[in-house]
Structures are given as structure tokens and as C-alpha cells.
Amino acid sequence: MVCAIGFTARASTAEEAPTYSQVHAIFAQRCMSCHDAKEAEGELVMETFESLMKGGEKGADIVPGKSEESRLVLEIEHRKKPFMPPPKKAEPLPAEEVALIRAWIDAGAPGPKPGEVIAAPTTRPIAKIIPKVTPRRPVLSLAYEPKSKMLAAARPGEVEIWSAAQQAIVHRLSNLSGDVNAVVFSADGARLLAAGGEPGVSGRVWVWNSADWSSIRVLEGHKDAIYSIAISADGKLLATGSYDQKITLWNLDDGKVLRVFEGHNAAVFGVAFRPDGKVLASVSSDRTLKLWEVATGKRLDTRPESSKELYALAFSPDGRRVAAGGVDNRIRIWQVSDGAVEGTNPLLISQFAHEGTILRLAWSGDGKTLLSSADDDTVKLFDGANVSQKIALPAQPDWPSALAFALEDKTAVVGRLDGTLGFYDAVSGKEVLPPKPELTRLPPRGLQRGITTRLQLAGKNLGRLTDAQVSEPQVSAKLVGESGGESATVEITAAAGAPLAPCELTVSGPGGKSSPLKLFVEDIPQIQAHKPNQTMAQATSVSLPASVWGAFGQKGEEDFFAFDAKAGQHVVFDVAAQRFGSKAQAQIALIDPAGKVLATSGASVDDPDPLLAWTAPADGRYFVKVNDLQGDMGDDDFYRLSVGTFPYVTAVFPLAIAANSESKVQLLGFNLPPDATATVKAGGEGETEVPVDPSRFRSRRAMKVLASAIPELTEIEPNDTPAQAMKIPLPGAVSGRIGSGSSEGMGGKSDADLYRFEAKAGQNYVVETLAARRGSPTDTRIEVLHPDGKPVERVKLRAVRDSQITFRGFDANGGGARLFNWEEMQLNQYLFMQGEVVRLFLTPRGPDSEYNFYPSAATGRRCYFDTTATAHALDEKVYIVEPHKPDENLAPNGLPVFTLNYENDDASDRTLGSDSRLLFTASADGEYLVRVTDTRNFGGDLYTYR
């Protein structure tokens, strides 16, 4: 009787004698740890009134009516040996408890009255000891389900579900009490069972539906933890073996106990049904293997050949043999007859197998191979017929505490006490490495330097990762927690001085290293967009400045973000998608609280990602909508939206500087201070990067200028008229800017820059603009003029038919237009619009179709000669034209004659993106002018050209 907790019993009086339930409560708390049916020290069992009054090995311990003569009282008062409880185990019982027991005996030791509630045996509370280091999470049991190819791994408090093929965790069944010592699938794979419990308290079995891992029920019944479990082949019966020395048979459909098998004298560590379900085998640390009749619970046979404790048990698939192993290092195989009665189950083989204690045994599905493990860190495969060794697996790093065959018996899986799993080829014994890990998604992909960010990685084959690495030395990464097959968690820390630049993250496992995913180090907060945010009411709130990372999860999805702005604030909206490798063709719209669209931005000719600068008209809350014009969805359809009043560089001026020199260039963009300049040290000819300080300015690309060996000039205003034309040398170049257009928009006149140069008769000159290729929004148009400003005639076109554009206008990048009277037009005819000439390629295919134009082989632009004006008005006049012949009427049917400038129609004339190039042949010595304009009548600081 162990005494550990104070117990206050209600004092009895002469008028009211103590009841049996009162003294039983004392026995249950103080004495049952040594005197229950399992331990029965001195053969005294105190669980029931009958067993208590029966006494122990020395006879009755209680003399009713005479407490002074009762051995129980003398021993608990330490007046007669053996003292109870032993002095080394606990303090003597409190005096009030001894007095209560005396009074009950003196009253005649009455038994329980009808309806009297008897307290259940309890145990001493176990002190909670907090470990100083993280405890190991050993793998205690394995079970394989061949249909789903899933592997269940039992650990303390948890069962992991693994994909055997991918060697990765796909699900966890957690928050289970105590160690999970055994796990098994039903034969049809529909149910998963795990067993364990609290040592010394109770055993427990958890039952799940393996289709969705929902709980079916929890079974309790043993008085100690369960260490072995088996399901009959028909899935109707469950057998559990416990440390309480008993085997319980359950009806698996309703969870009720059918019967208890008693006969082992020590803990039961293994149970197994014969495939026909009629015989149950068990092994125990009492050194015996027993065979039981399932239908009646009758013990059929006891095999005593083992000289030491038995821990492992397995029936052969055909049910004719049963194997067992344990502390004496031997695998023994018995033949089992149909009836399995005593005398018909001879020992066939006793084979020395390991230097250490055998821990687990497993038969292959065909019965040809027997797998065994031992505490000498060895795992071996034996011939199932004669137990001759086939192969030994590599030495294990810790005890191989769990075994299973998987993947059509081609793989042997080993679970270890250190928590790891090993997968081995069952023929060669070589380790089977998992597939190479793959990273597919990393939300968000941005890091704010100076802080630690926890990211959830997504991908494939992430179940056994060992390391995470970042290419930038000032950015560190470490795996945290346990990874699953398709996810893993990593903590990434970007130092305060980490470069504001992309870096690469990779993860490693036994199968190798993953391909890298880019991370972007920033100096503003990084936010992951949370779903749902598909309406203004659900908009993700953003405090400026910030970068928000989102993804399009379904077709047609729109993401909304809300922010507050002050009147006059210049807010920049920068979307990064395709330049980060995303497939998303993002578009943004700025919306006021009433739902009115204030501004939009999408892809441009030279940049697929939107960029918008906007000035807030008033204090208030505004919204940004992001959508994908592609309408796709998936891991590759992500984006980053950066919003703030931060300085943003989009260009530099001038576009070229002298080679082998040091020059200062101006930074152009939004929210830039007046001193936004950079000093460039140029080497030889070619591109030179402009050093833009990332800690002061944001930018979406590296800024570069050309280092040139020819004279490089900068435009001097005013140069808008022939008289003001700026003189330039030949060869030579000049960097200029197109000023702002009229406030009337497209109907106004934009800036025109004129340059004067000397030419020789018959000499060919190349005139070329460089704008879009340097990131400028300018759509340049170049003309060659006489000194008085009149155009140098290139070719005359006569109009033969008129029409007009319907539905909407287009620019020189458009593939076609909807035209009136298109039925009267013929393929390969020329079409003239505001100085642009295109060639008809393909007639409309339906009522809503366009008349397509020939594209330029060099650039894809549709204009036939050079870059030209854009048709914007819905009623824009167009004409079918052909080259004019001098001997014909210049204006048939009263239609006008058009002139394209320049004297030469050389095949080398072409457009380059929205840049232009022409070959000009001087007709006489003298001065000529070049006029540069923007076809769209736009202009401003960013409209640069060279």
C-alpha cells in the first residue's frame, strides 16, 4: 500500500459505522498499485470486497469485529512485518485513515450495501517534469495500406500518414494521450486503428475513417497501456494486448468488448489473427507464445521454447506458421495446425538471428521474406521458408523500433527511436532516397530586412527536408517544425544591411536540392493578401508604404485593397508579375469609395507590368483592384503590388554620354527630390549602368545609359520652329525630351523638336530615334524637312476610295481595324490614316471581326512605312490609296492626294518598336532639318529620346 496523497475521510461516530465504500476509497488510492489483480503482491488483491476478505498467501488479513487481531491493521501501523506501505516507498497512512479502517473492522467489516457507489481504483498523480531539451519523437509502430499506398507511423501522441512513394507526410492525427504503441489498417483499407494510452492508468484505441481521417470512436478498457493490436481479416474483430497481462477481444462495429483472454503472467507485447480469423496468437514477456480460439476465448496451446521475454510476433500470410522473437536473439517458427490444439503445433525452426534483442518481425505479402529488427541497430531480411539470411540492411542510427513492407513488398520501411524513417530496396538492401524536393509556391516572396519572417513553403516531396539555404550571405534560413509532403515552414531573417535585391531560396533533403525560388529583400513591410478580398467590402487593408503579395486562385478573380491617402499625396502603384516570372497579365484600377474608376494601368509595349502614379484629390479612403487579363489560375499566377509615396525612378537623362568619361545624369520618375542625380563613370562604347541608390529610390529595372564615341549633345530649348532648330554635327547624337502636350488632350499640339544638319547631294544618311528601347514612353515620329520647314517629299499617294474607322480607334501596334465599306476593299491594297500606311492582309471573318493588316517582319508594327500618327476618333477618315502616276488625274472623284515625306522609298526604312529609323538621300548640298514629335501628343519629363 503506497501512501503519497493526503486523504481526509469523514469521521465515523458510534451511531454511524463506516461503510465499505469509505475504506475502499482509501484502498483504491493507497494500496491498489501493489494489490490489484495484476500485481497481487503477497497474493492479496484488494479490488473487490470478496478478494479483500479472502486475504493473501498467509490467509485472511481481516478479522471482522477485531481490528487489534487483524494482520492488515498491524502491518499498516508498522507493528508487524512486512510493513505496509514499505518505509522506502511512502509515508505511513494518516492516523485518521487508520482510525477509519479500524472502526470499519470493529463494526464487523460489513460489505457493500445494495446501490452503494464504490470508488474506482486510482493511481498516485504523476509529477509533470518539463524536459530541458526537446524530447525525441520515436517511431513506435508502422502499418502499410497497399491500395492507397499510405504508411501510418505511430509516435508519442500522434500518428503520421505518409505517402510511401513520395516518402512524405500528407496528414497528421494529433493530440492523442500517451504514447501510440501500435498502429494497423483494416484489410480493406477503410479504417485505421492506433493503440496506446497512459501507463498504469488505462489503455486506449483510436479508430478513424481513412477516407477523410474523421474519428469513428475511441475505445477504453485495459488497466494499463496497450502495446499490441490486430484486426481480423473480415474487419469485424479487434484484439488488443496490454501491459496489464490481458488480451481483449472487441466488436469493431460497435466498440463493445466481446471477451477477455487471461493466461499470460506478464505484459502482452504481440497479438496476431490467423488469416482465417479463427485463431489468435499472442506473445508476452512471460516467455511464452499462446494460441487462442477466437470464438470461445479458450486457450488452445502454450509454446514455452523461448528462454527469455518475447516482444515480436507475426503470422505467415498463409496462416500455417507463426514467428516470434525477443530477448534471446532467436527467431522461432511454429507450425500451426487447423485446430491449433495443444500437441499439433510443433516448433519448426529456432534460428539465431541478431546479436541483440529482436524488436519487430514482419512477413512479406507473398510469405517468401521475413523482416526483423533488433536493438543492436540491425535490420535483416530472411528467407521465409528456412530463415536463412538474405541480406542485412545498412547499420541503423538508432534502434529500429518499427518495420513494414511497402510498395508491393519492394520496399522495406524502418522506423527508429530517433524519430527517423528509412526506406530500403527489399532485394538489394540499398537505401531508397525520396524524390528531389520541389518548391512551387512561397507566399509572400518578399522579405523586410531587419526582421524575421516565417514562411509556409508549398511544393512536392517536402517531407524529409534537412536544410534551407539562401544565396545572399546576409539572409539566413532555417527549417522550423516538421515538414509535410507538400508543405514546410521556414524562418528567414534578412539582416538590417542586407542588399535590397533578389536572392534565391533552396531546400535540401536526402533526394537532393530543390530548384531555387526567388526572394525579394525590401525595406518596406511585406503583406500576404488574405482571401476573400474579391469585393470592395472585403478589401485587404494596407498601410502605406507596403508591398502586398497576392495570387489569382480562380478564373476571373479580382483582388481589392484599401488604403488611406491625403490630398496632394503622389502615390505610386507598382505591380510586379511577369518580370518576377509570373504568368499573370495584371491590370490595376484605382477606385474611389463610390466605385468610380479614377485611373487604370495595364501592360505597355515595353513593359508587361502596370505602373501608375496618381495624385490624391482629397483626403479619404481609396481602393485598388488587381485582376488578371489572362484569366488563368495556379501557382504561377502571383503578383506583388507595391503602394506608397516613395521616390520611384523610371528613367535617366540624357540617354547617352561620352565614352571614357565621368558624367552626371538626372534621375527621372515620381516623387524625386531636385537633387536626384547619379554620377556615371563610363568606359568604352556600350551600355553603362547608372548607380541608383536602392536605399533612397525604388525602381523596377537597372538604369543604363549608352557610352558613345560620337559627339553626344543635349537638347537646348526652344527648338520648336525651323528658325530655332538646334545644329548638330554629323555623325552625332542628341538627347531630348518631348514637352507636355495641350491640356485639351489628343486634340492639342505636343512639343516638336527640330535639329539642323549639313548634307551632301547623293549621300545616304540614316536617321534613327532611340526611345522605347531605353524605357521611354515616347512613340517617336521623325520627318526630314527643308530649311524653311517644308517636308522633303518622299512619295505621293492618290486616294481611290474613302472609308472610316468604326467601333474604336487603334495605334500602330494594333493588328487591324473595323472599317466601313470593307467589302469594297481588296487584299494587298494600301490604307492611309493620318500619315500611317498599312497593307490589307485578311478580310473580316464575321460581324465583329477586324480587317487585319500585314505586320512588320522586323518589329511586328503594322505601319508600312515609318512610325506614324495614331487614329483615335471613332469617325476617323481612312482612304484606300495607291502610288500616284504623273500622267493620271491626281484626284479622282474629288478625293485628296496625300504626300509621305522624304525622297526615298528604300526597303531599309522600318520602325523599331515605337522607335523609328529611315534612310534619307540628300537631293542637293545644303542644310536639312529633322523634326521629332510624339505621335500620341503626350509629353513630359519621362518622354525622352536620343
Side-chain angles (χ1 to χ4, degrees), residues 727-739:
K727 189 168 184 178
I728 58 174
L730 296 186
V734 58
S735 291
R737 273 187 282 202
I738 300 294

Side-chain angles (χ1 to χ4, degrees), residues 804-810 834 870-877:
Q804 65 187 44
I805 298 172
T806 182
F807 185 60
R808 62 168 175 250
F810 69 101
Q834 284 192 342
T870 304
H872 287 278
L874 296 183
D875 61 348
E876 185 66 59
K877 286 287 185 179

Side-chain angles (χ1 to χ4, degrees), residues 314-488:
F315 253 115
S316 64
D318 60 10
R320 296 178 180 177
R321 294 172 297 163
V322 64
V327 180
D328 67 3
N329 319 116
R330 284 164 174 76
I331 295 176
R332 291 181 174 85
I333 295 182
W334 291 266
Q335 179 179 301
V336 180
S337 67
D338 290 342
V341 296
E342 187 174 356
T344 64
N345 309 298
L347 178 67
L348 299 179
I349 298 171
S350 179
Q351 175 67 48
F352 181 85
H354 295 267
E355 296 288 344
T357 296
I358 295 173
L359 303 175
R360 297 286 182 180
L361 293 172
W363 287 95
S364 62
D366 59 9
K368 295 181 178 180
T369 304
L370 184 63
L371 182 64
S372 70
S373 66
D375 66 5
D376 60 356
D377 300 338
T378 61
V379 178
K380 297 179 181 181
L381 292 100
F382 295 91
D383 186 290
N386 55 25
V387 195
S388 61
Q389 182 174 317
K390 287 184 175 182
I391 195 168
L393 300 186
Q396 302 297 300
D398 207 332
W399 282 16
S401 49
L403 295 176
F405 279 101
L407 302 175
E408 300 176 340
D409 294 339
K410 295 178 181 178
T411 301
V413 186
V414 181
R416 312 175 182 111
L417 285 186
D418 63 4
T420 61
L421 271 72
F423 294 74
Y424 298 89
D425 185 283
V427 175
S428 68
K430 294 182 179 179
E431 186 171 8
V432 179
L433 297 178
K436 181 180 177 181
E438 299 179 23
L439 294 179
T440 58
R441 192 169 65 252
L442 179 65
R445 298 190 181 212
L447 305 171
Q448 184 179 2
R449 64 180 181 180
I451 66 172
T452 296
T453 305
R454 178 169 288 199
L455 300 178
Q456 191 73 25
L457 309 180
K460 297 179 181 179
N461 312 321
L462 304 181
R464 299 176 65 189
L465 298 182
T466 56
D467 194 17
Q469 312 91 21
V470 180
S471 59
E472 167 54 49
Q474 295 193 60
V475 180
S476 61
K478 68 175 182 178
L479 296 168
V480 293
E482 291 196 8
S483 55
E486 297 183 351
S487 65

Side-chain angles (χ1 to χ4, degrees), residues 37 111 123 126 142 190 192 276 381 480 501 517 539 569 618 645 657 690 853:
T123 60
I126 301 173
L142 291 171
L192 172 68
D276 62 7
L381 292 100
V480 293
L517 274 185
Q569 276 188 319
T645 58
I657 59 175
V690 178
F853 309 145

Side-chain angles (χ1 to χ4, degrees), residues 55-133:
E57 60 186 0
K58 296 180 180 179
D61 290 285
I62 294 175
V63 179
K66 300 179 180 180
S67 61
E68 188 63 27
E69 297 179 14
S70 298
R71 183 182 297 108
L72 176 67
V73 173
L74 299 178
E75 289 179 357
I76 63 178
E77 290 182 339
H78 286 194
R79 290 192 290 148
K80 186 174 184 179
K81 292 185 179 181
F83 296 156
M84 293 294 165
K88 292 183 179 180
K89 289 190 176 181
E91 295 295 325
L93 270 65
E96 61 269 21
E97 294 183 12
V98 175
L100 187 69
I101 295 171
R102 271 181 169 275
W104 173 71
I105 295 175
D106 288 338
K113 298 177 181 179
E116 186 176 352
V117 178
I118 308 301
T122 60
T123 60
R124 299 169 60 186
I126 301 173
K128 186 176 182 179
I129 301 174
I130 300 175
K132 294 184 178 180
V133 298

Side-chain angles (χ1 to χ4, degrees), residues 465-544:
L465 298 182
T466 56
D467 194 17
Q469 312 91 21
V470 180
S471 59
E472 167 54 49
Q474 295 193 60
V475 180
S476 61
K478 68 175 182 178
L479 296 168
V480 293
E482 291 196 8
S483 55
E486 297 183 351
S487 65
T489 304
V490 62
E491 276 188 355
I492 304 181
T493 303
L500 297 172
C503 54
E504 293 183 338
L505 170 71
T506 55
V507 293
S508 300
K513 180 183 287 190
S514 70
S515 297
L517 274 185
K518 281 190 178 296
L519 288 171
F520 299 86
V521 180
E522 298 231 34
D523 55 359
I524 60 177
Q526 304 295 294
I527 302 171
Q528 178 65 30
H530 297 290
K531 306 291 184 180
N533 65 339
Q534 281 73 59
T535 66
M536 291 173 60
Q538 299 170 329
T540 301
S541 184
V542 179
S543 296
L544 306 188

